[in-house]
Amino acid sequence: GDSVTQMEGPVTLSEEAFLTINCTYTATGYPSLFWYVQYPGEGLQLLLKATKADDKGSNKGFEATYRKETTSFHLEKGSVQVSDSAVYFCALFNTNAGKSTFGDGTTLTVKP
Amino acid sequence: DTAVSQTPKYLVTQMGNDKSIKCEQNLGHDTMYWYKQDSKKFLKIMFSYNNKELIINETVPNRFSPKSPDKAHLNLHINSLELGDSAVYFCASSQVSTPRAGGDEQYFGPGTRLTVT
C-alpha cells in the first residue's frame, strides 16, 4: 500500500534559521503531494501542493518540489518565524485508489 | 463563514456511554472524511463518504458508525465508548478531482476532543 515517511521531530530552530523537513513516499501511479500545517488547537490546513513531477508548490515562504526520481517532497523555508511553530504533515493522494495517506507529522518549534 | 464545522468541540464522557459527533460542510464538496488523531499527533483515516456512499472503511471497530444524511453532512456515532477512544476526531471534505486534474485538497474542521473517563 501507499506510505509517507517524514522526518521525525520535534525540530527546534531559532528565528530566521533555514528549515528543511524531509518527506519521502511510496505509491503506485502518479500521486499528488501535499504539505498540511496544524497550528495548536486547530485542524489541518493546506500549506502547498504539487500534482506532477518537477512541480514546485509554494506558499507563505515555504516551498517543496515533487521529485519523482527520489520519490521525495521536502519542505523548505529560508527564514522561519515564531509564528511558523506548528505540526507539519506530508501527504499524498492516490488517484487510482481515491485515497489520501498522511505522514506521522513533524512538530516544529521556533524560538525567538 | 465556516467551511467545515464540527460539534461539539469538546466531549467528556464515561466508559460505556454512546455519543455522536456532527459535521457539516458548506463547500459543495462530494467527499467527506473522518480522521482520528492520537496524543502523538498521528492522523489515521477512519471513513470516507462520496455522495452519501461509504467508499473507505479502514479497520475501525464496529462500535463506530458513520452516517451521511446528505452530502453536506457526515456524523459519527460511537457506541460503548472505551478509554482508547480518547483522541481528537477531525472531519474533512474534498472535491475529488478526476485523475487528469489530480489533487485531493482536503478542508478540515476544527476537531472534536473526546475524553473518555
Side-chain angles (χ1 to χ4, degrees):
Chain A
D2 299 342
S3 67
V4 175
T5 302
Q6 59 182 103
M7 192 164 109
E8 273 192 42
V11 174
T12 303
L13 295 173
S14 297
E15 210 164 19
E16 298 184 3
F18 184 85
L19 169 71
T20 299
I21 301 178
N22 290 338
C23 171
T24 57
Y25 67 91
T26 303
T28 56
Y30 303 95
S32 297
L33 302 175
F34 304 84
W35 277 101
Y36 287 85
V37 59
Q38 183 181 24
Y39 298 105
E42 297 183 11
L44 281 70
Q45 54 186 274
L46 180 71
L47 180 60
L48 53 84
K49 71 177 185 181
T51 57
K52 62 183 188 298
D54 299 325
D55 267 2
K56 178 187 280 189
S58 60
N59 186 25
K60 300 181 182 179
F62 291 89
E63 291 184 340
T65 301
Y66 190 144
R67 301 282 187 206
K68 192 165 172 16
E69 64 275 13
T70 54
T71 61
S72 65
F73 193 54
H74 303 321
L75 182 68
E76 296 182 337
K77 186 175 186 183
S79 176
V80 293
Q81 306 300 312
V82 172
S83 57
D84 293 327
S85 298
V87 183
Y88 292 82
F89 291 89
C90 184
L92 67 83
F93 177 69
N94 186 320
T95 49
N96 293 334
K99 182 182 164 184
S100 291
T101 302
F102 284 79
D104 287 344
T106 301
T107 299
L108 170 67
T109 302
V110 180
K111 298 191 170 179
Chain B
D1 278 3
T2 305
V4 181
S5 59
Q6 296 178 227
T7 53
K9 189 166 175 62
Y10 299 97
L11 187 52
V12 181
T13 188
Q14 292 185 326
M15 283 175 56
N17 285 347
D18 303 338
K19 290 292 178 188
S20 292
I21 306 172
K22 295 187 175 183
C23 177
E24 177 181 0
Q25 56 96 1
N26 63 7
L27 298 166
H29 288 166
D30 288 336
T31 306
M32 296 184 72
Y33 310 82
W34 277 110
Y35 288 89
K36 179 181 180 182
Q37 185 175 48
D38 65 20
S39 58
K40 294 185 178 179
K41 302 292 188 184
F42 297 153
L43 197 67
K44 294 196 74 171
I45 188 166
M46 301 173 69
F47 302 102
S48 170
Y49 269 72
N50 182 268
N51 273 322
K52 303 194 298 176
E53 285 194 32
L54 180 67
I55 57 172
I56 292 175
N57 182 351
E58 295 295 305
T59 311
V60 177
N62 290 339
R63 300 182 294 103
F64 290 80
S65 54
K67 282 191 173 53
S68 182
D70 55 61
K71 75 174 194 176
H73 295 84
L74 180 62
N75 303 323
L76 183 65
H77 188 76
I78 315 170
N79 289 328
S80 303
L81 278 154
E82 300 177 357
L83 292 177
D85 298 332
S86 295
V88 181
Y89 292 83
F90 286 102
C91 178
S93 73
S94 70
Q95 185 64 50
V96 179
S97 302
T98 61
R100 227 173 243 290
D104 178 41
E105 176 180 335
Q106 294 188 30
Y107 292 77
F108 283 78
T112 296
R113 182 174 293 277
L114 172 64
T115 303
V116 182
T117 61

